Amino acid sequence: MLSLALHTLRSRKGAFAGAFAALLCAAALITACGVLLETGLRGHVAPERYAGAPIVVGADQQLHWTKHKKHKVKTKSKPLTERAWLAADVADRIAHVPGVTKVVPEVTFPAQTAHGKAQGHAWASAALTPFTLATGREPRADGEVVADARAGARPGDTITVLATAAPRTYRVVGVTAQTTPRQANLFFTEQEARRLAGRPGQVAAIGVFPASAAPAVRAALRGTPAELYTGRDRGSLEFADASKARVTLVSMGGALGGTSLLVAILVVVGTFTLTIEQRRRELALLRAVAATPRQVRKMIGREALLVGSGAGLVGAAGGLFVARWLRSLFVGHGVMPPNLGLVLSPFPMAAGLAATMLAAWAAARLSARSTVRIRPAEALAEAAIERRRPPVARTLAGLVVLAGHVTLLAVLRALDVEAAATPVTFLAVVLGAFAVALLGPVPARAATAVLAVPLRLSRVSGHLAAANGRAGTRRLASIITPLTLAVGMTCTILFAPATVADAATRQAREGVRAEHVLAGRVPGAAELGRLPGVRAVTAMVPTSIRVGEGKYAAQGVTPAGLTRTIDPGVRAGSLDRLGAGDVAVSTTAAGHMHARLGTELNVTLGDGTPLRARVAAIYGRGLGFGDVLLPYGVVAAHVDDPLPRQVLVAGGSADELRRAVARYPGVRMSPAAQAAGQRNSTEVNLVIMGLIIAFTAIAVVNTLAMATAERSREFALLRLVGTTKRQIRGMLRLETLSVTLTGVVLGTAIAVGTLSAYGAGMTGSARPAFPPLAYLGVVVGVAVLALLATAVPGRLALTVHPPEALGARED
């Protein structure tokens, strides 16, 4: 059977080209996801600012839990969302350790100039890189600064710096000879740097020299919250977002890889189904000459393994380039630090190859089940006449999968956390498409019956299209499946974020009472309250907190006059007295926290600081204002950047406000408040899931091209009985539009049902966001792809002379 499988592949290259292309894309996607996953698990960020310090001491940047379950003790860790700082006296303790020759404390804070973002430090910590002066001298007064080489400044220039307080103009007294690849740096006096950092009595890190002192320093710090960072671990302390990026890569790689594998199986099953459908006469002849079902299954399985191995090898190698391309996108969107390199090993490629071969073998065996079970005496008759009824087992399997799809929709309505809802959403779409694949002949026959009447308005082409639809429902079903998947998956990927974004924007718009909104890093919010006519000013700074193991989006808000600027839809309690020991929580967060009015919560702030807080209010507009509201002063003291991202101003003149903030770089008047839940861009998620869309588009093109290319004998017969080429092309267009319409209707139904369930859980409303122009673009895009995929092979098939086409072998 192996030799027969090889001969079949050589003689029917066109029939297996579509399966090869689908499997190649699947291998590339799975390999790329594996590289991302492995990078998240094993990747390291190279240090830049701390590259010259052999030992760096800093606070533990992980939050730890200990769970007792029966006789087991399990410890879990999650990266902090803000930088944890150390007490400054730790540096004095380290200085007395034997063998330590130099201790360099470090403070760091965000800064912004006309040239862009930078990080501020004290000049004494320049030795950690080390930075040296190219020109000028070190700063000696609080109004002086040393700029790094990328700033383009010269000694004597003045620059305005917006750090963590009101902007101030400094005189450049020196320029460094070095710069760091990822960040610009500004160096101030020790006193000024500590003032701008806003962390009295604390340091961000401590550089220790020499490297040989590491064991003694580690022993001296035992029992304290300080951690020792050496080698590549120094980068994880310097770049606080590195750990978050690694967690993101793990979740993205796992979710995208799993979705890719499910989509690949569905696409490959459809492709092999069409391939075997085109070989029915050949397989029937094998059964008629006494080939056993087991032999036929072995032959088909080996064909699939041969195709899968070849596609898997090429696709796995291509997956490395896809991974590099994804990395560049992540770096460009700030999801991944540029100095976090990809971890390349044979494991992702092996996983992509193995998954591809397994998917090919399983798809081929499933697709051939009904064919190999035919009795030899019935084989040729079965090949000549298509079954009108699908196999009972296939119908039952389709109903089971459909029930699974409905069950997932019910589960999705109960999920209100994005991390849990997103994978269920895409799994529901895939199951819906699986149900269409299994029950395909039923909707194909129904669509043919409904569309037969309008098709017959075209006397020749339409009549032929309707007749072909009635005679080839199994072929139509194989084509409808990828179209349904393409429409359903594309609409879900595009409109799921839009559904939440629209709800969040609506809640923010309905809940803002202030007449004016300032956006950007806004200093001097208190000064705005003294402008004429201003009734209340609310500064808002975003962060995230944890209650137990649950992570929640939170905002620090100015308590005074809060109800004059926002209305988050308070259901219980009041926001009038939001004190230092109080929090307000959304109804969704309260459900997860098992909290009621007056409940005492153990809150962990973004930098790991514990806080005991009482629930003072419960509100309904959690998407618009975040899961938790805390007093601004509590949050600002525990975030990397304490400046508010937006300020709401009730009353006052817009012109007065514009003049007041004109000296603040990057601050602008905004027409509406930004929803708290929409601070993270969805562009990366759309790009990543766009690979799935591209994969399904390739499947559509493959399937339609294969289905059209194999009809040369049919076209030749039509031409011999007097049908013109133009009429046959018209028939193809009408057939394609009919099948596309069916796929669009089914895919839209799956997407609407899934998005309604997703919206009901995430936003409380079952109304999904379906932007008309975007949806029209999806439909037009699918239709154009389908028409091109049939037009090109159709024209090629019509170039064959009719007698040659009828006399040609089926291969």
Side-chain angles (χ1 to χ4, degrees), residues 387-423:
R387 273 188 181 182
R388 300 301 297 168
R389 292 183 180 179
V392 176
R394 176 172 177 167
T395 302
L396 290 176
L399 293 174
V400 169
V401 173
L402 183 60
H405 169 71
V406 174
T407 302
L408 280 184
L409 295 185
V411 171
L412 195 56
R413 295 181 70 89
L415 298 177
D416 54 14
V417 178
E418 186 176 2
T422 299

Side-chain angles (χ1 to χ4, degrees), residues 680-769:
N680 293 325
S681 174
T682 60
E683 292 179 10
V684 173
N685 290 332
L686 292 179
V687 168
I688 295 171
M689 299 310 295
L691 295 175
I692 302 293
I693 297 175
F695 188 22
T696 55
I698 290 170
V700 169
V701 172
N702 277 341
T703 306
L704 285 166
M706 288 171 59
T708 306
E710 288 291 324
R711 298 174 65 184
S712 57
R713 292 172 60 86
E714 174 191 335
F715 297 159
L717 183 59
L718 288 172
R719 290 171 63 190
L720 286 177
V721 297
T723 310
T724 64
K725 289 184 179 181
R726 182 179 179 183
Q727 290 170 334
I728 294 174
R729 286 196 294 268
M731 175 194 74
L732 276 177
R733 283 193 295 269
L734 290 174
E735 284 181 5
T736 303
L737 290 174
S738 300
V739 174
T740 302
L741 179 61
T742 305
V744 165
V745 170
L746 292 173
T748 302
I750 291 172
V752 168
T754 304
L755 290 172
S756 296
Y758 176 79
M762 291 294 298
T763 70
S765 171
R767 184 182 67 182

Side-chain angles (χ1 to χ4, degrees), residues 634-655:
V634 173
V635 174
H638 300 281
V639 294
D640 297 338
D641 187 355
L643 288 185
R645 298 304 182 278
Q646 59 182 347
V647 173
L648 309 181
V649 182
S653 164
D655 292 336

Side-chain angles (χ1 to χ4, degrees), residues 50 52-57 94 100 102 104 128 206-215 217-218 221 227-231 234:
Y50 300 157
I55 305 168
V56 182
V57 176
I94 297 173
V100 173
K102 185 166 66 171
V104 182
L128 297 176
I206 303 168
V208 183
F209 299 80
S212 58
V217 174
R218 183 176 285 107
L221 295 177
E227 294 279 335
L228 210 66
Y229 298 84
T230 59
R234 293 171 298 170

Side-chain angles (χ1 to χ4, degrees), residues 29 71 152 182-183 212-213 228 234 260 275 313 323 374 423 462 497 517 559 561 589 679 736 797 805:
L29 274 177
H71 302 293
R182 187 179 173 190
Q183 55 192 347
S212 58
L228 210 66
R234 293 171 298 170
S260 301
T275 301
L313 287 171
I374 303 170
V517 179
R679 300 192 189 278
T736 303

